[in-house]
Amino acid sequence: MTDDPSMPADEAVSVTDDTEQPRERPQDVASVAQRLEAILLVVDEPQPLVSLAAAVGAPVAAVRQAIETLVADYDGDAAGPRRGFELREVGGGWRFYVRAEHDDLVSEFVNAQAPSRLSQAALETLAVIAYKQPVTRSQVASIRAVNVDSVVRTLVARGLITELFTDPETGAINYGTTDALLVNLGINSLDELPHISPLLDDGADGFDVEGMR
């Protein structure tokens, strides 16, 4: 007992320290799968196995097995219903996606909830993407010096930009504009966009005008 006056103080401290050691996270498939779902629910870019393993505190092999279990579950191969979303591997990483057959439904819902006008932040982000495409979110954020994750999701939902491709090395998604933007602007091609470089002072507002029209 730690209150025994005959016990040396250093031994009493060691007993207390041992009881405060954190427990290791369980490594069974179900527990790892639950932690994976929590992480995958909030990511915006496909995550490689190594990154997921570090995030959930499990070996890569255990994460791979848990992902296979989740994929089978969502696809309805585990005696359950087929879900409206899927866990898909893209560019060497994993991420949740709406199933293709529900794309129109989700787009209609999001557009119905969205305001008719774009915010100033959305307009600025859309302009950067239009002039710099193909471009990643991190590149847009670097140019605007703010986080653009939610704005990019809004522009995708409004059908003004789309995912063009995923970088095979970094897993970063590259975005570009859609024909819907051309329709809204009343132009036939991006070549009709005004030249922006003459409108900017050298180095103004931290913009990188290299490659911009």
Side-chain angles (χ1 to χ4, degrees), residues 141-179:
S142 176
I143 292 173
R144 292 202 56 229
V146 295
N147 186 290
V148 297
D149 290 354
S150 62
V151 177
V152 168
R153 285 194 292 269
T154 297
L155 295 174
V156 170
R158 297 289 289 272
L160 298 175
I161 66 173
T162 187
E163 298 179 5
L164 297 178
F165 61 90
T166 300
D167 189 299
E169 295 184 359
T170 65
I173 298 173
N174 282 258
Y175 294 88
T177 55
T178 65
D179 290 341

Side-chain angles (χ1 to χ4, degrees), residues 5-98:
S6 65
M7 179 179 290
D10 57 344
E11 291 187 21
V13 170
S14 66
V15 172
T16 302
D17 290 345
D18 288 343
T19 60
E20 293 178 354
Q21 293 298 320
R23 293 188 308 167
E24 292 185 0
R25 292 190 176 99
Q27 301 298 320
D28 59 282
V29 174
S31 298
V32 174
Q34 287 179 351
R35 299 201 297 274
L36 281 173
E37 286 181 314
I39 295 297
L40 289 167
L41 190 64
V42 298
V43 301
D44 292 311
E45 302 282 357
Q47 300 296 308
L49 285 176
V50 173
S51 297
L52 291 173
V56 303
V60 172
V63 170
R64 183 182 293 108
Q65 184 179 3
I67 283 181
E68 292 174 354
T69 300
L70 290 174
V71 170
D73 182 18
Y74 302 149
D75 290 348
D77 297 334
R82 187 170 185 263
R83 310 296 180 84
F85 60 92
E86 62 181 328
L87 181 54
R88 188 193 313 163
E89 185 178 18
V90 176
W94 293 87
R95 177 190 172 200
F96 284 135
Y97 288 88
V98 173

Side-chain angles (χ1 to χ4, degrees), residues 92-170:
W94 293 87
R95 177 190 172 200
F96 284 135
Y97 288 88
V98 173
R99 293 196 186 275
E101 60 264 33
H102 301 307
D103 281 346
D104 291 342
L105 174 67
V106 173
S107 294
E108 290 174 5
F109 173 78
V110 173
N111 289 335
Q113 305 299 313
S116 57
R117 292 180 177 272
L118 292 175
S119 65
Q120 183 66 29
L123 288 172
E124 292 175 3
T125 300
L126 181 58
V128 172
I129 295 173
Y131 281 99
K132 296 286 288 183
Q133 61 185 309
V135 63
T136 66
R137 258 187 310 214
S138 62
Q139 290 171 332
V140 176
S142 176
I143 292 173
R144 292 202 56 229
V146 295
N147 186 290
V148 297
D149 290 354
S150 62
V151 177
V152 168
R153 285 194 292 269
T154 297
L155 295 174
V156 170
R158 297 289 289 272
L160 298 175
I161 66 173
T162 187
E163 298 179 5
L164 297 178
F165 61 90
T166 300
D167 189 299
E169 295 184 359
T170 65

